[in-house]
Amino acid sequence: MDLSNRQLYNASVATWRRQEPILLSDFTARPRVIEVLGDVSGLHLWDLGCGEGLVGRQLASCNPARIDGFDLSEEMVHAAREQAAALASDQGGPLYYSVADLTDPAQLPSGACDAAVAVFLFNYLDIQATEQVLRWVRQALRPGGSFIFTVPHPSLAFLRPAEAPFYIEPGNHTYLGSTDHLLEGRIWRRDGISNAIRSRHKTLEDYNRVLRRTGWTRMPLIEELGVTEDHLNLDPFFFAPLRGTPLHLLFQVQA
Ligand SMILES: C[S@@+](CC[C@H](N)C(=O)[O-])C[C@H]1O[C@@H](n2cnc3c(N)ncnc32)[C@H](O)[C@@H]1O
């Protein structure tokens, strides 16, 4: 079945919805995004491709002025709103969620922000849409503000077999020369449930080129994230198959 990204995420909201870290990348990627973002107190943040809002809820306890989340999937936005409403009011600043297809220039929100995150959004966007979003964030971000985004490591598909707890299938594609091709994968939660994910393949060089084209001229921070000793101590059965494998790329760029 050929599902659009909107259909895919509307259909899988139940297994994305979570009260606490449970998905592999809740351990191997999201905590590092929050760490690199640093002190957000008093800041207006954007969460692009926010899904059901876990990252925003985690940031809400750090006293931001406001967090605006945007996502293509109405079901994900509904889940994010419901869970934000259930947060005790003393847990942080207000969370606002809107449905928006960030590949459509007419749906890119207006206004400015102090910092922005896009946690596994760009792996759903082709180069052209990635360029459009990067240019838009560059214009919206206040001087000195950070934009932090993560994607599955583009090498992962070519390094791992199709096995738990995380894989992306390369099909007939190769690392070089397959830009914008859609690769399908799965990522697991610690309770054995897995979610389908997608990666619109882009090499590290593709990201570097598109950042330069869109005016992010300061040297980016680029990190290759994987499992750490802490992960292995926490749950060796779950994390050990990924020991030594690059799982995600994290970029921090600054206006
Ligand atoms: C892997 S999920 C990550 C969700 C969230 N950032 C998190 O960390 O849990 C990817 C999200 O990107 C959203 N997405 C995909 N394409 C999009 C688009 N064109 N515009 C806005 N959101 C999009 C999906 O609906 C989905 O919620």
Side-chain angles (χ1 to χ4, degrees), residues 10-51:
N10 275 341
S12 56
V13 66
T15 50
W16 279 96
R17 197 179 166 124
R18 52 216 196 272
Q19 266 75 53
E20 55 185 15
I22 188 164
L23 193 66
L24 172 74
S25 47
D26 294 343
F27 299 89
T28 51
R30 291 178 183 84
R32 187 64 189 141
V33 171
I34 291 173
E35 213 169 62
V36 172
L37 195 55
D39 182 6
V40 296
S41 55
L43 300 188
H44 179 185
L45 307 173
W46 281 356
D47 183 358
L48 311 177
C50 59

Side-chain angles (χ1 to χ4, degrees), residues 5-10 16 18 23 25-26 30 47-56 70-74 76-77 98-104 107-108 117-125 129 133 150 187 196-198:
N5 292 332
R6 177 170 160 260
Q7 289 170 319
L8 173 70
Y9 277 93
N10 275 341
W16 279 96
R18 52 216 196 272
L23 193 66
S25 47
D26 294 343
R30 291 178 183 84
D47 183 358
L48 311 177
C50 59
E52 58 74 67
L54 177 69
V55 170
F70 306 98
D71 201 280
L72 174 68
S73 153
E74 301 89 340
M76 289 294 222
V77 166
S98 309
V99 176
D101 178 353
L102 300 172
T103 65
D104 176 358
Q107 296 186 43
L108 292 177
V117 297
V119 181
F120 303 114
L121 168 70
F122 289 123
N123 44 301
Y124 291 86
L125 273 49
V133 171
T150 53
I187 189 164
I197 57 136
R198 290 178 168 162

Side-chain angles (χ1 to χ4, degrees), residues 40-47 56 59-60 62-70 92-98 109-110 112-116 142:
V40 296
S41 55
L43 300 188
H44 179 185
L45 307 173
W46 281 356
D47 183 358
L59 285 168
C62 308
N63 294 314
R66 176 184 172 111
I67 302 178
D68 284 295
F70 306 98
L95 294 158
Y96 296 88
Y97 292 101
S98 309
S110 56
C113 66
D114 298 306
R142 299 213 170 86

